[in-house]
Coordinates of all heavy atoms in Angstrom, one line a residue:
N1030 N 40.5 13.3 13.5 CA 40.5 13.2 12.1 C 40.3 11.7 11.7 O 41.1 10.9 12.0 CB 41.8 13.7 11.5 CG 41.9 13.7 10.0 OD1 40.9 13.5 9.3 ND2 43.0 13.9 9.5
P1031 N 39.2 11.4 11.0 CA 38.1 12.3 10.6 C 37.2 12.7 11.8 O 37.2 12.0 12.8 CB 37.3 11.5 9.6 CG 37.5 10.1 10.1 CD 38.9 10.0 10.6
P1032 N 36.4 13.7 11.7 CA 35.6 14.2 12.8 C 34.5 13.2 13.1 O 34.0 12.5 12.1 CB 35.0 15.5 12.3 CG 35.0 15.4 10.8 CD 36.2 14.6 10.5
P1033 N 34.1 13.0 14.3 CA 32.9 12.2 14.6 C 31.7 12.8 14.0 O 31.6 14.0 13.7 CB 32.8 12.2 16.1 CG 33.5 13.4 16.5 CD 34.6 13.6 15.5
L1034 N 30.6 12.0 13.7 CA 29.4 12.6 13.1 C 28.2 11.9 13.7 O 28.2 10.7 14.1 CB 29.5 12.4 11.6 CG 29.4 11.0 11.0 CD1 28.0 10.7 10.6 CD2 30.3 10.9 9.8
W1035 N 27.1 12.7 13.7 CA 25.8 12.2 13.9 C 24.8 13.2 13.2 O 25.3 14.2 12.7 CB 25.4 12.0 15.3 CG 25.3 13.2 16.2 CD1 26.4 13.9 16.7 CD2 24.2 14.0 16.5 NE1 25.9 15.0 17.4 CE2 24.6 15.1 17.3 CE3 22.8 13.8 16.3 CZ2 23.7 16.0 17.9 CZ3 21.9 14.7 16.9 CH2 22.3 15.8 17.6
L1036 N 23.6 12.9 13.1 CA 22.6 13.7 12.3 C 21.4 14.1 13.2 O 20.8 13.2 13.8 CB 22.1 13.0 11.1 CG 23.2 12.5 10.1 CD1 22.5 11.8 8.9 CD2 24.0 13.7 9.6
M1037 N 21.1 15.3 13.3 CA 19.9 15.7 14.0 C 18.7 15.1 13.3 O 18.6 15.1 12.1 CB 19.8 17.2 14.0 CG 20.7 17.9 15.0 SD 20.6 19.6 15.2 CE 21.6 20.2 13.9
R1038 N 17.8 14.5 14.1 CA 16.6 13.7 13.6 C 17.0 12.5 12.9 O 16.3 12.0 12.0 CB 15.7 14.6 12.8 CG 15.0 15.7 13.6 CD 14.0 16.4 12.7 NE 13.4 17.6 13.4 CZ 12.8 18.6 12.7 NH1 12.7 18.6 11.4 NH2 12.3 19.6 13.4
Q1039 N 18.2 11.9 13.2 CA 18.6 10.7 12.5 C 17.7 9.5 12.7 O 17.7 8.6 11.9 CB 20.1 10.4 12.8 CG 20.3 10.0 14.3 CD 21.8 9.8 14.6 OE1 22.7 10.2 13.9 NE2 22.1 9.1 15.7
A1040 N 17.0 9.5 13.8 CA 16.0 8.5 14.0 C 14.7 9.0 13.7 O 14.1 9.8 14.4 CB 16.1 8.0 15.5
G1041 N 14.1 8.5 12.5 CA 12.8 9.1 12.2 C 12.3 8.7 10.8 O 12.6 7.6 10.3
R1042 N 11.5 9.6 10.2 CA 10.6 9.3 9.1 C 11.3 8.8 7.8 O 10.6 8.3 7.0 CB 9.7 10.5 8.9 CG 8.7 10.7 10.0 CD 7.9 12.0 9.7 NE 8.7 13.2 9.8 CZ 8.3 14.4 9.6 NH1 7.1 14.6 9.1 NH2 9.1 15.4 9.7
Y1043 N 12.5 9.1 7.6 CA 13.2 8.7 6.4 C 13.5 7.3 6.4 O 13.9 6.7 5.3 CB 14.4 9.6 6.1 CG 15.6 9.3 7.0 CD1 16.7 8.7 6.5 CD2 15.6 9.6 8.3 CE1 17.8 8.4 7.3 CE2 16.6 9.3 9.1 CZ 17.7 8.7 8.6 OH 18.8 8.4 9.4
L1044 N 13.4 6.6 7.5 CA 13.8 5.2 7.6 C 12.6 4.3 7.6 O 11.6 4.5 8.4 CB 14.5 4.9 9.0 CG 15.9 5.6 9.1 CD1 16.4 5.3 10.6 CD2 16.9 5.0 8.1

Side-chain angles (χ1 to χ4, degrees):
N1030 183 11
L1034 69 95
W1035 66 280
L1036 304 177
M1037 286 183 276
R1038 292 185 188 161
Q1039 65 186 17
R1042 292 175 290 174
Y1043 73 109
L1044 293 175

